[in-house]
Amino acid sequence: TARAEKAVALEKQRQEEEITNYYTGLPGNQDVGIVTRLVSVMAYLLPLVDTVRFGLPLAVVEPALQPLFALLIPVCQLFASIPLGTLIVFIGFQALRANTELPALMRYNFGQSIMLDVALFIPSIVVSTGLVPLSFNMYDAPTSEAVIFSALTFLPIMGCIFYSMFCNIMGVAPRGIPWISESAEMGMGMVPPSRLKEMQEQEEKK
C-alpha cells in the first residue's frame, strides 16, 4: 500500500541520514588547529617505532628505503633508551583517548595509533617463535622468507601511518583504514552504521 511504501521510504531516508551524520565528523571538541594537527601526527610515532624492526630485511635488499630508516632508527634508539618507553606511551595514549576534553581529532588518532600498534602483535609472535628470523649479520643477507614477511608486515603498516599523517596535516580524521578505523571510532563511543543495523535487528528479534 501507499502507506507502507511511504514508511519504507522514510526508514531508508533515516538510515541514509544516520550514515551521513556518522561520517560527517567525530563527537566532541571540534578543534582542528595547528597544535591539534601536530599532536595527531605525532601520535603515530608509537606504531612507527614498533614497525621499524619488521622492515629491516626489506631495507637491506631495497636500498631506496635506507634513507627512511636512517631517519627512523635514531627515533627508535631514543624510545629504547627510556625504560619501558613504548609501554608507557601505549598506556598514556589510552588515557588521552579517554579524555573527552581533548579535541576529537586528537583522541581519535590516539586510538587509531593504539590499534595499529596492536596489529603488530601477531607478527611479533611469529618472530618470537623463530618461524621467521629477522636478525642477520653483515655477512649473511636476510632469507627470502624474512624479506617477504618484512614486506607484508612493514609496508601495509607504513602505508596506514603515512595516510593518517597526511590526513591529519589536512585537518581531516583518517577514517579510511579497514577494521582499524572502525575500532578507533568505537573506542570513542561511536556505533558504526553496520553495527547499529545489527543491534536493531537483534532488538526486533527479541
Side-chain angles (χ1 to χ4, degrees), residues 2 6 34 87 99 136 182-183:
K6 184 178 180 181
I34 186 65
L87 178 61
N99 186 346
F136 52 90
E182 186 174 288
S183 297

Side-chain angles (χ1 to χ4, degrees), residues 160-178:
C160 292
I161 290 172
F162 285 141
Y163 157 75
S164 299
M165 287 181 168
F166 176 77
C167 288
N168 283 308
I169 291 172
M170 303 302 294
V172 178
R175 301 173 66 180
I177 304 175

Side-chain angles (χ1 to χ4, degrees), residues 56-79:
L56 290 174
L58 184 63
V60 171
V61 299
E62 186 53 63
L65 291 174
Q66 292 175 8
L68 174 63
F69 279 81
L71 295 173
L72 295 178
I73 288 177
V75 179
C76 295
Q77 292 173 337
L78 177 62
F79 268 75

